[in-house]
């Protein structure tokens, strides 16, 4: 992983010059994200609450008029990949290039006349850690092309196109949260997003001012959304909605959950999925209420409830994620849960400033005792969404 930061826009631009023999027309950045609460609710038309990380994908880009798309990444071995925009076909590419190429395909499929580009990328968003490295890559390309081709698209529209790129071109059945977070988050806030109508509220989230920190613990267990388990969960949720006669599980009210579960009879797998989604939507609303009323510390137990639901009902945790949560709580954390798609990736830990070092050390020691790969631990600070750097 490149260690380029957004302050290194000049480095990314210089590498572009070396590759393509001319200055880029601009340099843009798009962040990864942490989801505070609201997991696997986005493709059920529910509520989510992500915020942007300081880790970004940075792209130097120039437009072309000859139908050629040239792509290069500082983070992947190999030279410049050259593609033709009129030959882009969904699910034809299993390499990293599928993400930026998919955005070009989605823009063209939506009727936008994108005639090519030269691109050089560098990212500090950890890949496979459940922090939306792919969405950051997509959104930074979409933002650059939106400006270079004067398409006039807004952040939520770019997010929709990036989701389509990942769903159709890459073949990963992800929801809308990751791309919207990367495109629309603001510094110092979490984004309360209704994934049905894409309405947004920026909720102030300044833990430092209240003497707390939110840690991300990257277990270094890789996950891959385009493989089967994520898709199975999504299909199970759709089955549950169909059996209950609703458009999406979002339409099952929290106070009607027991009745809905009774109607599902003995289909235990679908019952578990439905229970998680309905209770998770309620947890998002509870966290919003707590943050807006000044009860920030009280969100800790809600995060922990969310982990139990993801572990026991959705069944997408793993031993490493469970160890982070259990160890952090035993060491005095206010709350903890896995974040992201599951089957690996990262957990988040809410802790008082005075407890951060002790919690971090306890988790690192627990991983060593268990024989797991040492985790990567860093503070998550709510950061700006996608923007032009130069």
């Amino acid at each position: 992983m490149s260690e380029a930061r957004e302050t290194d826009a000049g480095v990314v631009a210089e590498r572009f010059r070396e590759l393509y023999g001319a200055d880029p027309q601009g340099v843009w950045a798009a962040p990864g994200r942490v989801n505070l609460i609201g997991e696997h609710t986005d493709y059920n038309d529910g509520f989510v609450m992500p915020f942007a990380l300081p880790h970004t994908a940075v792209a130097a880009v120039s437009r072309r008029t000859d139908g050629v798309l040239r792509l290069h990444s500082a983070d992947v071995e190999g030279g410049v990949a050259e593609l033709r925009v009129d030959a882009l076909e969904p699910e034809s590419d299993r390499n990293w290039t599928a993400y930026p190429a998919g955005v070009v395909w989605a823009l063209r499929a939506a009727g936008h006349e994108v005639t090519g580009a030269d691109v050089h990328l560098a990212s500090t968003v950890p890949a496979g850690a459940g922090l939306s490295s792919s969405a950051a890559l997509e959104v930074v390309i979409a933002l650059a092309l939106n400006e270079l081709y004067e398409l006039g698209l807004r952040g939520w529209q770019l997010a929709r196109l990036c989701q389509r790129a990942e769903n159709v071109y890459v073949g990963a059945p992800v929801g809308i949260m990751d791309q919207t977070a990367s495109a629309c988050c603001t510094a110092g806030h979490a984004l309360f997003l209704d994934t049905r109508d894409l309405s947004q509220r920026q909720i102030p989230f300044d833990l430092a001012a209240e003497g707390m920190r939110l840690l991300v613990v990257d277990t270094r267990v890789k996950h891959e959304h385009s493989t089967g388990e994520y898709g199975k969960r999504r299909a199970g949720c759709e089955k549950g909605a169909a059996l209950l006669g609703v458009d999406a599980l979002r339409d099952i009210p929290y106070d009607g959950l027991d009745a809905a579960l009774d109607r599902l009879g003995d289909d235990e797998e679908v019952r578990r999925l439905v229970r998680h989604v309905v209770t998770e939507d309620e947890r998002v609303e509870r966290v919003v209420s707590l943050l807006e009323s000044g009860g920030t510390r009280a969100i800790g137990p809600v995060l922990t409830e969310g982990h139990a639901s993801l572990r026991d009902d959705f069944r997408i945790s793993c031993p490493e994620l469970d160890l982070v949560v259990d160890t952090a709580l035993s060491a005095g954390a206010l709350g903890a849960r896995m974040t992201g798609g599951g089957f690996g990736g990262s957990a988040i830990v809410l802790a008082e400033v005075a407890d951060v070092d002790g919690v971090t050390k306890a988790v690192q020691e627990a991983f060593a005792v268990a024989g797991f790969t040492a985790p990567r631990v860093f503070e998550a600070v709510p950061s700006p969404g996608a923007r032009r750097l130069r």
Side-chain angles (χ1 to χ4, degrees), residues 43 85 107 148-149 156 161 163 183 200 230 268-269 289 359-360 372:
Y43 54 80
V85 298
L107 285 166
L148 291 175
Y149 282 91
W156 66 268
L161 286 164
Q163 182 199 18
Q200 305 175 15
Y230 183 101
E268 186 56 34
E269 181 177 358
S289 178
V359 168
T360 301
F372 295 151

Side-chain angles (χ1 to χ4, degrees), residues 195-271:
T195 65
R196 171 162 282 171
D197 62 12
L198 296 189
S199 59
Q200 305 175 15
R201 275 165 52 201
Q202 301 286 349
I203 309 296
F205 190 55
D206 184 358
L207 293 176
E210 299 189 58
M212 289 174 283
R213 297 287 187 272
L214 190 76
L215 304 176
V216 174
V217 182
D218 176 6
T219 65
R220 300 187 186 269
V221 177
K222 300 298 183 185
H223 69 158
E224 181 56 67
H225 276 173
S226 54
T227 55
E229 291 299 323
Y230 183 101
K232 288 179 185 176
R233 301 305 189 281
R234 182 165 185 164
C237 291
E238 292 168 352
K239 178 182 177 182
L243 289 171
L244 293 168
V246 295
D247 291 336
L249 294 182
R250 146 74 172 277
D251 296 312
I252 304 299
Y254 180 69
D255 59 9
L257 175 59
D258 289 342
L261 295 178
D262 287 343
R263 290 168 57 199
L264 291 171
D266 59 0
D267 192 334
E268 186 56 34
E269 181 177 358
V270 173
R271 284 168 55 91

Side-chain angles (χ1 to χ4, degrees), residues 15-199:
R15 182 63 176 137
F16 182 99
R17 281 190 288 273
E18 294 172 2
L19 289 164
Y20 301 118
D23 289 336
Q25 290 177 285
V27 181
W28 291 263
R33 65 96 189 96
V34 159
N35 192 24
L36 182 64
I37 191 75
E39 218 66 78
H40 288 268
T41 50
D42 59 347
Y43 54 80
N44 289 290
D45 281 4
F47 304 123
V48 295
M49 201 171 185
F51 63 87
L53 287 168
H55 306 71
T56 57
V58 177
V61 186
S62 288
R63 60 182 289 175
R64 297 178 65 99
T65 59
D66 58 359
V68 172
L69 176 64
R70 295 196 292 183
L71 303 168
H72 185 268
S73 171
D75 310 305
V76 180
E77 289 188 10
V80 174
E82 186 167 314
L83 308 169
R84 290 208 57 85
V85 298
D86 57 5
L88 299 176
E89 291 288 342
E91 298 195 56
S92 62
D93 186 350
R94 296 299 177 192
N95 299 308
W96 72 271
T97 49
Y99 296 96
V103 172
V104 174
W105 171 84
L107 285 166
R108 287 172 55 85
H112 302 291
E113 192 60 30
V114 176
T115 55
D118 286 338
V119 177
H120 171 62
L121 291 148
S123 180
T124 58
V125 186
L131 303 175
S132 299
S133 58
S134 60
L137 187 56
E138 293 156 359
V139 170
V140 75
I141 296 299
L143 182 64
L145 296 177
N146 184 47
E147 291 194 25
L148 291 175
Y149 282 91
E150 300 180 343
L151 303 180
L153 298 172
R154 298 173 65 185
W156 66 268
Q157 294 172 304
L158 295 178
R160 277 285 192 218
L161 286 164
C162 290
Q163 182 199 18
R164 179 165 170 75
E166 192 153 353
N167 287 170
V168 180
Y169 195 89
V170 178
V174 299
I176 191 64
M177 174 181 66
D178 296 351
Q179 292 83 1
T180 306
S182 187
C184 300
C185 280
T186 61
H189 294 78
L191 178 69
F192 177 37
L193 173 67
D194 181 334
T195 65
R196 171 162 282 171
D197 62 12
L198 296 189
S199 59

Side-chain angles (χ1 to χ4, degrees), residues 355-380:
D355 294 330
V356 165
D357 289 345
V359 168
T360 301
K361 182 179 179 182
V363 169
Q364 291 169 335
E365 289 178 349
F367 267 56
V369 169
F372 295 151
T373 301
R376 178 178 183 230
V377 184
F378 60 91
E379 183 182 353

Side-chain angles (χ1 to χ4, degrees), residues 291-309:
L291 291 178
E292 291 187 326
S293 64
T296 306
R297 281 173 174 78
I299 75 171
V302 187
L303 304 184
T304 306
E305 282 178 35
H307 183 77
S309 183

